[in-house]
Amino acid sequence: DTNTMWGGRFSGGPSAIMEKINASIDFDKRFYAQDIAGSKAHCAMLVKQGILTAEDGQSITDGLDKVLAEIEAGDFKFSPALEDIHMNVENRLRELIGDAAGRLHTARSRNDQVATDFRLWVRDAIDRLDDGLQVLQQVLIERAEEQVDTILPGFTHLQAAQPVSFGHHMLAYVEMVGRDRSRLKDARERLNESPLGSAALAGTPYPIDRHHTAELLGFNGPMRNSLDGVSDRDFALEYLSAASICALHLSRLSEELVIWSSAQFGFVRMSDSFSTGSSIMPQKKNPDAAELIRSKIGRVVGDLNSLMMSMKGLPLAYSKDMQEDKEPVFDAADTIELSVAVMTGMIAEMTVNKEKMRESAGWGFTTATDLADWLVRELGMPFRNAHHVTGAIVKLAEDKGCDLSDLSLAEMQTVDAAITDDVFNVLTLEASVASRTSYGGTAPNNVREQIKEARQRFL
Ligand code: ARG
């Protein structure tokens, strides 16, 4: 029965489309466990405070356990007519235990209930992501350890700059992931206050004990303001922000894997398990997994933007707009957790071609800075002059089509007569890398030290 005024172009009646836009059960069933845990804590507190009899409390608790078991066994029938997870659970509880079920919602509203459930869910998501990132760090550190003495070209502008240790390069990502984890930790700390007991928005006249429910649910304490309690979604925004930056890091690493695994670079070979072939070109092995992760950041940042826009301009306290908070967070969590797991697998299984890296590190006069530094150190030249002299020598090599170390001493002396044979000691890639001993620099001995510290800091 469609609406007589405008129903002609609608296939379903108005109540059906209203149900469709209004119901959240299709997605919020994902936090059934948090919903039931929150209800059990609320119920225990009501009994402790004498608001509910011990008998009712017991039957509610037993009933909730039964509901949980049914959902986990896949025996639960979720109904869109009951809108959301909260009403689906409560309705089933009534079917199981009768009228006592109606007492559970005393001194509570769906507004503080959903805020509590969602915090608990995001808290778990933070912990899962942190675990995944730690495993990624472990794999990066292991690969770094095995590749400390592997030399690859370091780039700026994707132009060969100076040779660096591949272990050092891996450790750069360990640092980035370390900041991701520290952002998650910060977010978790701010998240971990309980909105439960804020009720609809103003608190409740019942003598509830919010500290008790907070403690039962592992929160540090209750949120201080009931209006804020039901209307804050900062915790979800912070999670999405941290996930976005993390996705950005994964995207940068993915881009490097794509470049490195091309035939022209050939620095690494992705394992078959993370590559695909081409349906037409038999020679192809494409780094699809890396490309997909490179792209996933779009989804995660989109999720962040989506929730930002939902929350923007909302007056206090609860508005139904806030039901739109869940899907972006679920999507971002699924996306980032999968990306981290796949990245971990790719890094663990890739084959490193040391010879190709080393060979490439020699192209593009990457030890030119070492030559300039030698002129400063050994001849007392001001760095600016040394830069100029080195430039002229590079030009010489370029014109000859050879590397710096292939020039003869006589050729170098045409640019500056004071240059001696000793200069050839600094023109090798190994010498260049080994010389960079400043704190945080790429010298292999530094890198070995950094690996030790990274293990202590992160694993
Ligand atoms: N399904 C709702 C949500 O996700 C639960 C809260 C409903 N509260 C209300 N006042 N309608 O936000």
Side-chain angles (χ1 to χ4, degrees):
D1 48 351
T2 50
N3 184 288
T4 48
M5 296 291 289
W6 40 263
R9 54 193 297 246
F10 291 81
S11 49
S15 61
I17 55 172
M18 176 55 192
E19 182 180 295
K20 196 162 180 197
I21 194 170
N22 196 42
S24 54
I25 188 62
D26 280 348
F27 46 88
D28 66 17
K29 63 180 168 209
R30 256 185 99 157
F31 50 61
Y32 69 88
Q34 288 78 7
D35 189 71
I36 289 172
S39 287
K40 284 173 73 173
H42 182 66
C43 174
M45 181 277 292
L46 292 176
V47 171
K48 178 177 94 69
Q49 298 301 98
I51 301 167
L52 211 66
T53 65
E55 208 187 339
D56 283 343
Q58 196 56 55
S59 83
I60 289 171
T61 306
D62 294 346
L64 286 170
D65 284 337
K66 225 175 261 165
V67 175
L68 181 67
E70 287 181 4
I71 296 176
E72 278 175 348
D75 294 338
F76 192 95
K77 177 134 180 20
F78 293 102
S79 158
L82 294 166
E83 271 188 52
D84 54 28
I85 185 66
H86 323 295
M87 307 230 278
N88 270 268
V89 169
E90 189 180 319
N91 186 69
R92 180 66 187 138
L93 185 64
R94 181 170 297 107
E95 287 172 5
L96 290 169
I97 70 166
D99 280 348
R103 299 188 187 278
L104 171 61
H105 213 53
T106 312
R108 186 177 73 169
S109 152
R110 270 190 296 161
N111 297 346
D112 59 337
Q113 188 177 357
V114 72
T116 304
D117 295 0
F118 199 28
R119 274 179 192 255
L120 293 172
W121 195 91
V122 173
R123 191 174 72 185
D124 288 345
I126 286 175
D127 292 344
R128 282 196 307 273
L129 181 53
D130 184 67
D131 287 349
L133 289 174
Q134 190 183 33
V135 178
L136 175 57
Q137 282 182 314
Q138 188 182 330
V139 166
L140 286 165
I141 290 170
E142 278 162 13
R143 299 302 323 243
E145 192 153 48
E146 143 208 327
Q147 304 293 339
V148 174
D149 296 304
T150 302
I151 295 177
L152 85 163
F155 295 97
T156 61
H157 315 264
L158 200 58
Q159 306 284 321
Q162 293 172 348
V164 295
S165 147
F166 188 50
H168 195 55
H169 198 111
M170 292 285 97
L171 286 187
Y173 284 100
V174 172
E175 293 297 320
M176 294 185 231
V177 172
R179 287 193 295 275
D180 291 330
R181 292 182 63 198
S182 124
R183 264 183 286 276
L184 290 170
K185 193 171 164 218
D186 288 350
R188 191 190 199 282
E189 192 59 23
R190 270 185 297 277
L191 166 151
N192 207 24
E193 293 184 349
S194 173
L196 194 57
S198 297
L201 75 165
T204 168
Y206 295 96
I208 59 173
D209 181 351
R210 293 191 55 209
H211 290 86
H212 187 62
T213 44
E215 198 189 320
L216 289 175
L217 294 169
F219 289 112
N220 295 332
M223 291 178 76
R224 285 179 171 75
N225 183 300
S226 62
L227 293 166
D228 185 46
V230 293
S231 52
D232 169 53
R233 293 294 182 270
D234 290 0
F235 61 94
L237 292 168
E238 286 195 43
Y239 169 72
L240 291 171
S241 307
S244 294
I245 299 176
C246 177
L248 181 151
H249 292 151
L250 298 180
S251 168
R252 295 181 73 174
L253 180 49
S254 296
E255 169 73 356
E256 301 214 273
L257 294 175
V258 170
I259 294 173
W260 291 345
S261 63
S262 69
Q264 283 67 18
F265 271 77
F267 289 3
V268 300
R269 198 158 42 77
M270 306 314 293
S271 80
D272 286 352
S273 37
F274 292 106
S275 314
T276 61
S278 157
S279 54
I280 172 166
M281 297 166 282
Q283 87 282 13
K284 291 274 264 182
K285 204 166 130 188
N286 295 325
D288 294 45
E291 294 170 88
L292 287 164
I293 296 176
R294 183 172 61 182
S295 180
K296 294 286 186 196
I297 177 165
R299 287 178 73 138
V300 180
V301 173
D303 291 327
L304 169 63
N305 278 334
S306 165
L307 185 55
M308 285 276 187
M309 292 307 103
S310 291
M311 295 307 294
K312 163 189 175 299
L314 289 190
L316 301 185
Y318 178 87
S319 297
K320 196 63 176 259
D321 309 51
M322 291 164 75
Q323 180 165 289
E324 293 284 314
D325 59 0
K326 295 162 197 66
E327 288 161 293
V329 169
F330 293 155
D331 181 68
D334 292 341
T335 304
I336 194 76
E337 287 171 30
L338 179 62
S339 300
V340 170
V342 172
M343 180 57 81
T344 303
M346 280 196 298
I347 297 292
E349 292 183 22
M350 72 183 178
T351 311
V352 176
N353 189 337
K354 300 182 193 217
E355 293 69 37
K356 204 69 203 276
M357 284 188 186
R358 198 193 174 286
E359 183 193 347
S360 165
W363 302 340
F365 314 108
T366 54
T367 55
T369 316
D370 300 274
L371 173 54
D373 288 339
W374 184 88
L375 296 168
V376 169
R377 204 172 50 243
E378 303 300 325
L379 304 186
M381 232 181 244
F383 183 78
R384 282 296 157 218
N385 299 22
H387 188 285
H388 197 80
V389 169
T390 305
I393 295 176
V394 166
K395 178 141 194 324
L396 209 63
E398 198 171 32
D399 291 346
K400 255 196 93 181
C402 71
D403 195 22
L404 286 179
S405 54
D406 299 329
L407 291 170
S408 69
L409 180 59
E411 283 168 322
M412 291 215 193
Q413 284 172 339
T414 64
V415 180
D416 192 308
I419 296 177
T420 70
D421 223 16
D422 178 56
V423 75
F424 290 101
N425 292 328
V426 302
L427 295 183
T428 68
L429 298 173
E430 283 71 18
S432 170
V433 174
S435 73
R436 294 204 156 52
T437 53
S438 55
Y439 185 79
T442 197
N445 283 339
N446 274 22
V447 176
R448 273 182 265 277
E449 193 51 44
Q450 287 160 10
I451 286 169
K452 235 186 275 162
E453 285 174 26
R455 282 191 190 285
Q456 275 158 15
R457 287 159 64 210
F458 300 122
L459 303 185

